[in-house]
Every structure is written in C-alpha cells, then in structure tokens.
Amino acid sequence: MITEMIVSVLLITVVVLQESKSGGMGSSIGGAADTFFGGKARGKDAILSRLTVILGVIFALVTLALVEYLNSY
C-alpha cells in the first residue's frame, strides 16, 4: 500500500507540473486547431509526458497486484 501511495503522489505531482496544452474553453471557438495539431513536445514537456505514462502504467500494475493480494485472504 505504501508503494501505491508513493506512485500516486508522484503521478499527481507530474501531472500538476505539466503546462496546459490549450487555452481552455475560450480557445475552442477559434485557433484551437493550431495548438491541437501541433508538433511533438520538447524538453521538459516531453519528459513529463513520458513520465506520466510510465507512472500511470506502474500505478495500474501496482493496483492490480494489490487487489490480487488482498483478495487472496
């Protein structure tokens, strides 16, 4: 359970550190296609994006392992 908590706090931190990809609801009216169909993320954004995916997969695997462990009793 401690591993689950650590991974979840790291995942929340990484998601919060990421910059917004769009301007919100106001940009949906005009100009959103430019930001939506933009190129690959670079630098910090690329690292945080990849780290989000990795931590999400680890979180899912730890959750499934925890469920199996707790259901065995």
Side-chain angles (χ1 to χ4, degrees):
M1 288 186 184
I2 292 173
T3 305
E4 179 100 10
M5 290 189 310
I6 291 170
V7 171
S8 65
V9 168
L10 287 174
L11 185 59
I12 291 168
T13 304
V14 168
V15 169
V16 168
L17 287 175
Q18 290 182 6
E19 292 183 20
S20 177
K21 302 268 191 269
S22 66
M25 291 298 288
S27 68
S28 65
I29 296 171
D34 294 337
T35 59
F36 184 73
F37 295 111
K40 289 186 174 182
R42 294 184 180 156
K44 183 181 90 166
D45 290 333
I47 293 170
L48 291 175
S49 178
R50 184 171 296 238
L51 197 56
T52 301
V53 172
I54 292 169
L55 286 172
V57 169
I58 292 171
F59 181 79
L61 293 175
V62 169
T63 301
L64 291 174
L66 190 59
V67 167
E68 284 295 319
Y69 176 73
L70 292 176
N71 280 337
S72 65
Y73 290 109

